Amino acid sequence: MSRVEGKVAFVTGAARGQGRAFCVRLAEEGADIVAVDILGDVDTVLYPMARQQDLDETAKAVEATGRRIVTRQADVRDLGSLQSAVADGLAAFDHIDVVCANAGVASFGTTWELTEQSWQDMLDINLTGAWHTVKAVLPSMVEAGRGGSIVLTSSTAGLKGMANIAHYTAAKHGLVGLMRTLANEVAPHRIRVNTVHPTNVATDMILNDSTFRLFRPDLADPSQEDMIDAMTGLNALPVPWVEPRDVANAVLFLASDESRYITGATLPVDAGCLVK
Ligand SMILES: NC(=O)c1ccc[n+]([C@@H]2O[C@H](COP(=O)([O-])OP(=O)(O)OC[C@H]3O[C@@H](n4cnc5c(N)ncnc54)[C@H](O)[C@@H]3O)[C@@H](O)[C@H]2O)c1
């Protein structure tokens, strides 16, 4: 129950899904949390983003573990909003030791059909948003001199090509480049930087109509059930997707001192998707 005792974690995309699971899992093991989310929609994304009540749910779940949480609305495209969330987190907790750059969106289209706005929103949120996140937090981490751990949420699409998501795949590969550079830059400060690469995860990002239709274009009105075989086919292990807590367990390990000499690593949580 104390694998990250005394640490403070800054988590983006924290209102639901994997971000919420990271907050709760880290809190269960002793961390206080600074949680941010956009709490509003993105025009080029066909499913809704989280809302204030989702972020409140995350806060309740963290507080139920006995840990503290600061929640803020922030769009990772807006560096200033992240910097003020960091300032509020530091005012409450004095230091930040763990960063989970997790906020992200999904949309679909062949490379030649994607609109410029869809491409741009994807790169702005899934790549530049992660850079903004580390840029907002790192000055305080370096100054505090306590070391730390940064985990960027990439994807199996960060390590292999996948049809219909060129913009997503480019952004998630970009995170690996960012991680590899940053790992070198901050190592002298005993700050580690790694990426996690989940296969499909059971969250609102994939459990929505636009994904059902992508996986089952042959059906007029496909459901989650109709997608199971196609998604299972992506993984070596016989499961269609993993749960947010499976990824949270990997993030917890990377956040904790158990991984104190692991930096620059690309850690799959992928049910064997990448080995297939
Ligand atoms: N679900 C999957 O199958 C899957 C697989 C691999 C990687 N990922 C990645 O995992 C991360 C988390 O996604 P999830 O599966 O929990 O989906 P999700 O949609 O449930 O959660 C994403 C969260 O990010 C927030 N968000 C979106 N844009 C934002 C912005 N501009 N600023 C701040 N917050 C923003 C949303 O409101 C939401 O709460 C994403 O980076 C995603 O690309 C997801």
Side-chain angles (χ1 to χ4, degrees):
M1 296 294 283
S2 56
R3 293 165 66 190
V4 286
E5 189 78 49
K7 296 185 195 292
V8 179
F10 186 88
V11 182
T12 68
R16 70 179 188 204
Q18 296 178 68
R20 179 188 288 165
F22 297 176
C23 293
V24 173
R25 193 71 194 92
L26 290 164
E28 284 171 350
E29 296 289 341
D32 291 322
I33 307 293
V34 185
V36 307
D37 204 286
I38 187 172
L39 308 181
D41 291 340
V42 176
D43 285 348
T44 52
V45 176
L46 292 175
Y47 58 92
M49 297 299 110
R51 294 292 186 266
Q52 183 65 51
Q53 63 262 32
D54 299 306
L55 192 55
D56 294 344
E57 275 297 310
T58 297
K60 254 198 268 165
V62 165
E63 282 161 357
T65 71
R67 301 315 311 177
R68 296 171 297 168
I69 182 166
V70 166
T71 59
R72 290 289 179 273
Q73 189 277 331
D75 183 338
V76 296
R77 291 172 291 187
D78 174 7
L79 177 60
S81 72
L82 289 169
Q83 286 168 327
S84 56
V86 168
D88 291 346
L90 290 172
F93 301 134
D94 190 50
H95 51 85
I96 292 169
D97 311 282
V98 174
V99 181
C100 300
N102 164 78
V105 295
S107 55
F108 307 112
T110 57
T111 303
W112 58 95
E113 285 168 344
L114 288 170
T115 64
E116 287 200 66
Q117 197 56 50
S118 179
W119 175 274
Q120 199 56 52
D121 287 347
M122 182 63 70
L123 272 289
D124 286 349
I125 295 172
N126 287 19
L127 180 56
T128 308
W131 172 62
H132 282 162
T133 303
V134 295
K135 184 174 169 61
V137 186
L138 264 170
S140 70
M141 288 177 80
V142 168
E143 198 193 342
R146 294 166 51 94
S149 172
I150 296 171
V151 184
L152 310 181
T153 298
S154 178
S155 165
T156 47
L159 295 171
K160 69 181 280 197
M162 290 189 184
N164 296 306
I165 49 170
H167 53 344
Y168 187 87
T169 305
K172 294 298 189 183
H173 273 71
L175 289 178
V176 175
L178 171 64
M179 176 276 285
R180 287 182 171 142
T181 295
L182 192 55
N184 279 289
E185 289 174 342
V186 297
H189 303 285
R190 293 183 303 110
I191 299 170
R192 301 177 294 105
V193 194
N194 297 286
T195 46
V196 288
H197 299 265
T199 185
N200 287 312
V201 187
T203 69
D204 291 353
M205 177 175 283
I206 63 155
L207 302 181
N208 67 65
D209 262 357
S210 64
T211 316
F212 304 161
R213 287 181 192 289
L214 179 77
F215 275 80
R216 293 306 303 269
D218 53 314
L219 299 180
D221 192 16
S223 68
Q224 183 174 325
E225 201 62 23
D226 297 319
M227 198 171 62
I228 287 178
D229 285 350
M231 284 214 169
T232 303
L234 296 174
N235 301 326
L237 293 169
V239 289
W241 44 67
V242 301
E243 296 299 325
R245 199 170 169 89
D246 296 308
V247 186
N249 282 329
V251 167
L252 170 64
F253 168 68
L254 290 173
S256 78
D257 295 340
E258 293 159 24
S259 60
R260 65 185 178 157
Y261 296 130
I262 298 177
T263 194
T266 53
L267 179 61
V269 186
D270 72 336
C273 173
L274 290 166
V275 85
K276 237 187 136 174

